[in-house]
């Protein structure tokens, strides 16, 4: 088990530093930089060069990358080039909003996904099954911005039941949580329903449960569901860690000052330290989610460690 954990940890570190390096290089080869964003395209060349020198943008890319890595090792993410504030402080203020949104969205996703998956399995082949699977596919395929605008129009503009944007009260969390939760629930529903159906058709212990006279719902919930939840748990962890990295489109549409909105702002302003900081956090959370899911998987199924 120790060897397995160390191997996964090493892989995670390689991915982590690889993402940092690739992001840094890409942000330095695309046209424009923070000096251009601050001064505009038609600014005086002498003024531009002075601003670029003050921001440290006149140094070679490799030198800037080594400086960044040296500061990163010491826990210093630098200052935002546009806001002129520590990146750590900016992220610290935005991340709690992303955590709240991700938690609410996952509550919706897990409740709908598991509930729909169980019902679709119990009523397999019937109208309820087809209806729920249609909604699962709809949630997976529907663009989040379309879903967000539709819910805003219905519940905020027409019915005036919920605020159209903002993120201060519990009512302002409902719409963005529904948007993200519904889209993520579809994947859980499909995987859980498929696994339960396979268990019902192929596992011998299911036949034993049927012989005992248990109803189909009891067989599904008490027996088939246990062996079917392993991949679902992995999906749930990965979904949550992915959302903690920031839901850019949803946060922007609903005016949520979270990590996703911060990333878009940093990208549009070519604010490399801030963008690196948001990507650093998002990458860390996603890698941690994968790491935890691998450990849980290996604990439940020892064959994973052997492979």
């Amino acid at each position: 088990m120790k060897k397995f954990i160390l191997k996964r940890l090493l892989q995670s570190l390689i991915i982590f530093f690889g993402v940092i390096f690739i992001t840094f290089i890409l942000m330095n080869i695309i046209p424009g930089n923070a000096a251009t964003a601050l001064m505009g395209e038609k600014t005086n060349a002498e003024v531009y060069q002075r601003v670029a020198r003050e921001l440290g943008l006149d140094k070679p890319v490799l030198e800037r990358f080594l400086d960044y890595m040296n500061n990163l090792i010491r826990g210093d993410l630098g200052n935002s080039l546009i806001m002129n504030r520590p990146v750590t402080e900016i992220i610290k203020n935005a991340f709690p909003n992303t955590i709240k949104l991700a938690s609410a969205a996952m509550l919706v996703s897990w409740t709908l996904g598991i509930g729909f998956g169980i019902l679709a399995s119990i009523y397999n082949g019937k109208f309820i099954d087809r209806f729920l699977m249609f909604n699962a596919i709809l949630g997976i395929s529907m663009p989040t911005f379309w879903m967000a605008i539709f819910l805003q129009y219905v519940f905020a503009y027409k019915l005036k039941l919920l605020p159209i944007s903002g993120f201060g009260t519990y009512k302002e969390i409902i719409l963005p949580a529904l948007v993200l939760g519904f889209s993520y629930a579809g994947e859980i529903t499909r995987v859980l329903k498929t696994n339960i159906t396979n268990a019902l058709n192929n596992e011998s212990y299911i036949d034993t449960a049927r012989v005992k006279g248990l109803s189909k719902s009891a067989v599904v919930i008490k027996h088939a569901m246990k062996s079917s939840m392993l991949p679902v748990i992995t999906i749930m962890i990965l979904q949550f860690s992915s959302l903690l990295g920031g839901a850019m489109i949803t946060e922007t549409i609903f005016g949520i000052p979270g990590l996703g909105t911060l990333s878009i702002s940093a990208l549009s302003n070519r604010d490399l330290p801030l963008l690196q900081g948001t990507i650093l956090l998002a990458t860390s959370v996603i890698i941690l989610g994968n790491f935890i899911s691998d450990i849980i998987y290996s604990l439940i199924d020892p064959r994973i460690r052997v492979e």
Side-chain angles (χ1 to χ4, degrees):
M1 187 64 183
K2 290 181 179 179
K3 184 179 179 181
F4 175 80
I5 293 176
L6 289 174
K7 182 180 178 181
R8 287 289 186 268
L9 186 60
L10 179 60
Q11 291 174 344
S12 299
L13 289 174
I14 293 173
I15 294 172
F16 178 75
F17 286 107
V19 169
I20 294 175
F21 177 75
I22 292 172
T23 304
F24 194 96
I25 297 301
L26 288 176
M27 282 300 297
N28 279 277
I29 63 176
I30 60 177
N33 54 37
T36 305
L38 280 172
M39 306 305 297
E41 296 287 345
K42 298 181 180 180
T43 187
N44 182 280
E46 183 179 344
V47 175
Y48 171 81
Q49 290 175 2
R50 178 171 58 83
V51 173
R53 185 168 55 253
E54 290 175 354
L55 296 176
L57 301 174
D58 59 328
K59 298 179 181 179
V61 175
L62 182 58
E63 183 180 347
R64 275 185 279 162
F65 178 72
L66 293 176
D67 289 341
Y68 178 80
M69 290 303 299
N70 183 46
N71 292 331
L72 180 61
I73 292 173
R74 292 187 284 109
D76 181 11
L77 297 179
N79 287 351
S80 167
L81 301 180
I82 303 299
M83 301 182 189
N84 196 28
R85 291 167 53 200
V87 170
T88 306
E89 177 187 327
I90 298 172
I91 292 177
K92 185 178 178 180
N93 293 333
F95 193 45
N97 294 327
T98 297
I99 294 176
K100 291 177 184 178
L101 175 61
S103 301
M106 285 299 94
L107 179 62
V108 174
S109 172
W110 298 345
T111 302
L112 293 180
I114 295 175
F116 288 174
I118 293 173
L119 285 174
S121 303
I122 294 174
Y123 297 97
N124 186 30
K126 298 181 180 179
F127 171 77
I128 294 178
D129 173 32
R130 292 193 292 270
F131 175 77
L132 293 177
M133 296 310 296
F134 171 79
N135 279 278
I137 296 173
L138 185 66
I140 294 172
S141 58
M142 183 185 298
T144 53
F145 73 87
W146 191 92
M147 182 70 171
I149 294 173
F150 174 75
L151 291 183
Q152 283 179 326
Y153 177 77
V154 174
F155 291 101
Y157 180 70
K158 281 294 185 181
L159 300 178
K160 301 188 185 303
L161 296 175
L162 297 169
I164 197 167
S165 63
F167 203 68
T169 64
Y170 77 93
K171 284 188 175 182
E172 293 172 334
I173 301 178
I174 293 176
L175 285 183
L178 285 175
V179 170
L180 293 172
F182 183 72
S183 63
Y184 278 96
E187 185 179 5
I188 295 176
T189 300
R190 291 187 65 188
V191 172
L192 183 58
K193 194 255 181 175
T194 300
N195 290 343
I196 291 178
T197 302
N198 289 336
L200 291 174
N201 294 332
N202 302 315
E203 299 294 344
S204 58
Y205 65 86
I206 296 297
D207 295 331
T208 304
R210 286 171 176 154
V211 170
K212 292 180 179 179
L214 295 177
S215 64
K216 186 173 184 179
S217 59
V219 171
V220 169
I221 296 173
K222 293 182 178 181
H223 297 279
M225 186 178 170
K226 291 181 180 179
S227 61
S228 304
M229 280 298 293
L230 182 58
V232 175
I233 291 172
T234 303
I235 291 172
M236 290 162 66
I237 294 173
L238 295 180
Q239 285 181 348
F240 186 62
S241 60
S242 175
L243 275 181
L244 287 178
M248 296 184 183
I249 296 176
T250 304
E251 287 185 5
T252 302
I253 290 176
F254 287 97
I256 301 171
L259 204 62
T261 304
L262 202 62
S263 301
I264 292 179
S265 174
L267 180 61
S268 61
N269 291 317
R270 301 294 191 270
D271 192 342
L272 184 57
L274 182 56
L275 181 62
Q276 284 284 148
T278 58
I279 292 177
L280 186 71
L281 179 58
T283 302
S284 302
V285 170
I286 292 173
I287 290 176
L288 181 61
N290 278 276
F291 183 73
I292 293 174
S293 66
D294 283 343
I295 300 302
I296 293 176
Y297 225 108
S298 64
L299 289 174
I300 297 176
D301 189 351
R303 292 173 298 178
I304 301 297
R305 297 199 299 271
V306 175
E307 293 172 0

